[in-house]
Amino acid sequence: MLNFELNENQRMIADMVRDFGAKEITPFRKEWDDKQIFPKYLFKKLGELGLMGVLVPSEYGGSGFGYMEYVTAIAEVSKLDPAIGLSLAAHNSLCTGHIMTFGTEEQKQKYLPKLATCEWLGAWGLTEPNTGSDAANMKTVAQKEGEYFIINGAKNFITHGYSGDVAVVIARTGEVGDSHGMTAFIVEKGTPGFKGGRKEDKLGMRASETAEMIFEDCKVHESQVLGNVGEGFIQSMKVLDGGRISIAALSLGIAEGAFEASVQYSKERHQFNQPISRFQGISFKLADMATQIEASKLLVFKAADLKNRGEKVTLAGAQAKYYASEVAVSVSNEAVQIFGGYGFTKDYPVEKFYRDSKLCTIGEGTSEIQKIVIAREVLR
């Protein structure tokens, strides 16, 4: 059964992130956001704290924690800067998670220690310019030639697509639309024919790099295949089941950050000779925000608990991601309203939470895709 008390590790992680963030994140987040700076050096420091390999077993140089600690880490980082939380989630859940779950012992020994310390930053490539939710119709193709696969095509909206040191890439090795016609490959930066492309100019999450990955006759040895040929899409769906929990945690952190700023501001801001928190119009907003956040938290930690116990998380992960991401948007929207004119300026953090929150309803499966997943599961 779910234990609602934070365990000792979770408390330690929360304290560590707050201390680290006060020095290394909060003072710089406005500049990173304004100038779209991706602070790659910061992730090396997060690697030293053990946050880039939270779920990686200690024998591969990771922290060896479970999903409870993992969602705590993401939520706490996202309270400070959601863009950093997003990069943390993508590195841990997608690239590292895929290799950890489906890699051979040799592949794990080779890549996990580098990823867990963030000596190497990870990227994960499924989405393409013409296939977002419709991943089975991908155009990136890998053709077998002797011991090698030759990859041609492009991926877009890839976190760390340009700066990543190693990527897990899904390419088509069979027929279009065949869910067993795709294969996952580990491709290192510097492999001839593989390069980062255009960096996206985004509404929010501007300190998290989103870019294209381009493959032109990129030659990858068969030893770089993850699992079996033809299993890439099936693997990806399993990776996304866990990845959705991390986006739910990211959403939770955004909502908590926007809410905490709103509570503080509503006590400090005076109108008509009293703090605005005393007005029912404001206090009822805070009541709704607090309740929605609590419900998000329960869904997120329920999904994390199931994942820890090795249970199927397709339904719980989709519900947590769908609900928490919509709450992040709604709570940050109300936060801007509570701040009034100041909420519309960059002098206060809520406009950034507002912009950053929208990605959560889109990335790793839109809210509409989550509803399809949820409906399919409840109608089984």
Side-chain angles (χ1 to χ4, degrees), residues 142-151 173 183 185 217-223 225 229:
Q143 286 179 310
K144 189 92 197 294
E145 285 185 14
E147 289 179 19
Y148 290 87
F149 284 86
I150 311 298
I151 304 176
T173 46
T183 301
F185 300 88
D217 293 330
C218 176
K219 201 170 164 186
V220 178
H221 193 262
E222 61 189 4
S223 62
V225 169
V229 170

Side-chain angles (χ1 to χ4, degrees), residues 45 54 65 91 114 240 256 274 330:
K45 292 186 176 183
V54 182
F65 288 138
H91 172 93
K114 286 188 165 76
L240 285 172
E256 287 179 328
Q274 58 182 317
S330 123

Side-chain angles (χ1 to χ4, degrees), residues 14 43 62 74 115 129 154 254 298 324 363 369:
F43 295 94
I74 290 175
L115 287 162
I254 292 173
L298 294 175
I369 288 290

Side-chain angles (χ1 to χ4, degrees), residues 136-359:
N137 275 313
M138 65 173 56
K139 303 282 186 285
T140 300
V141 175
Q143 286 179 310
K144 189 92 197 294
E145 285 185 14
E147 289 179 19
Y148 290 87
F149 284 86
I150 311 298
I151 304 176
N152 279 289
K155 299 289 178 181
N156 79 333
F157 298 134
I158 307 305
T159 306
H160 315 142
Y162 190 84
S163 295
D165 299 293
V166 62
V168 171
V169 181
I170 322 304
R172 198 155 54 72
T173 46
E175 294 305 309
V176 173
D178 176 9
S179 63
H180 292 276
M182 287 157 277
T183 301
F185 300 88
I186 305 172
V187 188
E188 293 178 23
K189 191 178 197 169
T191 303
F194 170 42
K195 64 178 184 191
R198 189 175 72 94
K199 198 173 151 180
E200 299 296 341
D201 184 5
K202 308 193 300 276
L203 167 75
M205 299 290 193
R206 288 160 64 89
S208 177
E209 178 189 276
T210 308
E212 294 175 312
M213 292 196 301
I214 296 164
F215 301 88
E216 293 167 345
D217 293 330
C218 176
K219 201 170 164 186
V220 178
H221 193 262
E222 61 189 4
S223 62
Q224 298 298 94
V225 169
L226 273 164
N228 295 319
V229 170
E231 287 178 355
F233 183 74
I234 309 298
Q235 291 172 5
S236 298
M237 293 305 105
K238 287 179 181 162
V239 168
L240 285 172
D241 273 352
R244 281 169 184 156
I245 301 172
S246 70
I247 301 299
L250 166 63
S251 306
L252 175 63
I254 292 173
E256 287 179 328
F259 174 70
E260 286 171 14
S262 301
V263 169
Q264 190 183 345
Y265 182 80
S266 72
K267 290 175 178 175
E268 292 167 359
R269 171 79 169 163
H270 282 66
Q271 292 288 276
F272 308 101
N273 304 316
Q274 58 182 317
I276 62 170
S277 59
R278 290 210 188 137
F279 293 102
Q280 196 177 73
I282 301 297
S283 67
F284 276 19
K285 282 187 192 299
L286 294 168
D288 282 337
M289 292 155 85
T291 305
Q292 289 173 335
I293 287 168
E294 202 56 31
S296 291
K297 198 180 283 181
L298 294 175
L299 285 169
V300 172
F301 281 99
K302 178 193 172 184
D305 180 56
L306 287 171
K307 183 79 177 157
N308 266 353
R309 290 191 278 133
E311 309 268 338
K312 191 174 179 222
V313 292
T314 306
L315 176 62
Q319 286 176 326
K321 197 269 187 192
Y322 166 53
Y323 186 79
S325 65
E326 294 291 344
V327 163
V329 174
S330 123
V331 165
S332 51
N333 176 39
E334 287 290 38
V336 171
Q337 194 71 16
I338 288 168
F339 274 74
Y342 290 112
F344 207 67
T345 71
K346 289 186 179 266
D347 298 334
Y348 290 90
V350 289
E351 66 83 32
K352 183 178 181 308
F353 284 124
Y354 184 46
R355 286 184 291 109
D356 289 348
S357 67
K358 192 59 206 157
L359 183 273

